[in-house]
Amino acid sequence: MASTSLLKSSPVIDKSEWVKGQSIRQPSVSILRCNSSTAAAAAPSALSIRASSYADELIKTAKTVASPGRGILAMDESNATCGKRLASIGLENTEANRQAYRTLLVSVPGLGNYISGAILFEETLYQSTVDGKKIVDVLKEQGIVPGIKVDKGLVPLAGSNDESWCQGLDGLASRSAAYYEQGARFAKWRTVVSIPNGPSALAVKEAAWGLARYAAISQDNGLVPIVEPEILLDGEHGIDRTFEVAQKVWAEVFFYMAENNVMFEGILLKPSMVTPGAECKERATPQQFLSGGQSEVEATLNLNAMNQAPNPWHVSFSYARALQNTCLKTWGGAPENVEAAQQALLIRAKANSLAQLGKYTGEGESDEAKEGMFVKGYVY
């Protein structure tokens, strides 16, 4: 999930002060960006920001992705995960089938009215549609910014409490340069923190440092980094415990991004929404700022709730299953269902566009869209 926000550059402060004194007003998923004029008007900062040759372009890209009434379509599932999605509708995991489904998604007429960016898997970035057009070009024609998943997935973190860390820093600079050349203008790196397993200080630090290094490398190569410290839904904990952990993780992430001279004006922050654990008996209402794994309607209602009150940040969405679930089932792999499936995706995109503006009502939603999608220990 995602939202967008304005931050001012600030001097480096002691991490203990950062963690203890930080008051996060919006416990939500967010894309974050800084207003360049605001930052420029601020007093000179002790923070040394890297003078990247891409600075102006990074800010422009972040603002485009964060444009009002639009959000991100996350279609960056690995080939293995895409195979699981295809298997759910009885299709074999072949490149042809993956190509057919991705073609369906990017070629929805009018999608650019509600979607500002699309996160792609590496295969998709270099792939063409079934009609032979480059997928990157199809997106650009719709006014949708192409993005790319750059992490290499989660692996066990030695010395932790059965926790994970995200790999992919090796060779990231050269890969990012190649992705930029292919047309990508933003990147995504997902790491996770597990509440039932701690989280340990080691796991939190590893997540924060990895995100910071990735963000710095991405900006050096022209890609706006989506910084995604996800708090997993697994567990019986309540919403207050999630918020406590989220504050700690966000503070660590921004501390290490400052240490790595990341330009805050050119990032997108994508934390998961603050929700109770999936197995918690006490559920929370949208007004409590409830993400990944919710039903399509729940995710939209929660986004809408966050945008119905005055908000210091632009709070938007970056959804995968919460946009694609009904679309995929409607398609079912049948060519004659493509138009209906595309219409299902457009309906979800429009609903979330309205929610980003605080105008979504939830009326007329199908039962399919109300089904939960939580998967324990979800990876992709």
Side-chain angles (χ1 to χ4, degrees):
M1 311 287 169
S3 73
T4 321
S5 170
L6 304 178
L7 289 178
K8 293 182 180 179
S9 296
S10 58
V12 176
I13 59 177
D14 179 76
K15 184 169 67 171
S16 62
E17 294 177 6
W18 181 289
V19 174
K20 292 178 182 177
Q22 186 74 356
S23 176
I24 307 289
R25 291 183 59 192
Q26 182 69 27
S28 69
V29 263
S30 281
I31 302 171
L32 284 149
R33 59 180 171 82
C34 282
N35 183 297
S36 56
S37 61
T38 301
S45 171
L47 179 61
S48 175
I49 299 297
R50 183 187 299 101
S52 170
S53 59
Y54 293 102
D56 291 343
E57 183 181 0
L58 292 170
I59 294 171
K60 181 180 178 181
T61 298
K63 288 182 176 180
T64 299
V65 175
S67 52
R70 300 203 297 168
I72 296 174
L73 168 62
M75 47 181 292
D76 57 316
E77 300 90 350
S78 67
N79 288 347
T81 300
C82 191
K84 294 177 183 178
R85 304 277 171 84
L86 294 174
S88 72
I89 57 171
L91 288 185
E92 187 180 353
N93 185 16
T94 64
E95 183 176 356
N97 284 336
R98 294 194 299 271
Q99 179 190 41
Y101 181 54
R102 289 162 178 165
T103 297
L104 182 159
L105 294 176
V106 302
S107 59
V108 175
L111 187 64
N113 293 328
Y114 314 114
I115 299 297
S116 57
I119 311 171
L120 310 177
F121 188 61
E122 187 175 69
E123 178 183 73
T124 319
L125 182 69
Y126 291 91
Q127 206 168 37
S128 296
T129 66
V130 293
D131 299 322
K133 295 185 68 173
K134 291 182 179 180
I135 284 180
V136 167
D137 291 341
V138 174
L139 291 171
K140 289 179 179 178
E141 288 171 4
Q142 294 238 48
I144 299 173
V145 182
I148 177 69
K149 171 184 165 70
V150 299
D151 69 75
K152 294 295 185 180
L154 301 170
V155 291
L157 176 62
S160 71
N161 184 29
D162 195 25
E163 295 165 285
S164 301
W165 68 283
C166 188
Q167 57 187 345
L169 290 177
D170 287 352
L172 179 59
S174 59
R175 286 190 288 120
S176 296
Y179 297 150
Y180 181 92
E181 196 67 27
Q182 183 64 16
R185 289 298 179 267
F186 69 97
K188 175 190 172 182
W189 176 286
R190 172 187 180 255
T191 194
V192 302
V193 171
S194 171
I195 291 180
N197 291 355
S200 67
L202 174 63
V204 172
K205 181 176 180 179
E206 176 60 45
W209 180 257
L211 284 167
R213 291 302 306 141
Y214 139 77
I217 293 169
S218 295
Q219 289 187 340
D220 271 358
N221 291 280
L223 302 179
V224 170
I226 289 183
V227 178
E228 185 175 2
E230 180 176 342
I231 312 299
L232 293 175
L233 281 177
D234 304 68
E236 301 176 355
H237 53 277
I239 192 171
D240 290 338
R241 174 58 177 158
T242 306
F243 184 42
E244 177 187 4
V245 172
Q247 283 184 301
K248 168 72 172 177
V249 172
W250 298 341
E252 291 261 333
V253 169
F254 274 92
F255 175 80
Y256 285 117
M257 282 200 295
E259 285 209 332
N260 281 273
N261 299 324
V262 172
M263 184 179 69
F264 288 167
E265 294 93 334
I267 72 166
L268 305 173
L269 176 64
K270 184 180 180 286
S272 48
M273 289 185 188
V274 173
T275 70
E279 287 126 6
C280 178
K281 295 180 181 179
E282 291 185 33
R283 306 315 298 164
T285 67
Q287 285 67 34
Q288 291 173 280
F289 301 119
L290 286 179
S291 148
Q294 299 173 65
S295 74
E296 292 170 315
V297 171
E298 281 179 323
T300 309
L301 283 169
N302 294 331
L303 175 64
N304 189 71
M306 287 187 282
N307 280 291
Q308 287 188 317
N311 200 321
W313 303 305
H314 176 90
V315 183
S316 190
F317 61 93
S318 177
Y319 293 159
R321 289 174 294 167
L323 283 172
Q324 296 181 42
N325 191 51
T326 300
C327 169
L328 178 66
K329 292 181 179 179
T330 301
W331 176 49
E336 63 270 22
N337 294 337
V338 167
E339 187 174 339
Q342 290 184 325
Q343 186 61 28
L345 176 57
L346 199 64
I347 288 172
R348 291 260 48 86
K350 183 176 181 179
N352 284 288
S353 170
L354 289 170
Q356 195 284 311
L357 299 170
K359 298 178 180 180
Y360 173 74
T361 64
E363 294 180 4
E365 291 283 11
S366 67
D367 291 338
E368 184 80 50
K370 296 176 183 177
E371 294 181 5
M373 296 176 286
F374 170 71
V375 177
K376 190 170 184 177
Y378 180 67
V379 295
Y380 66 102

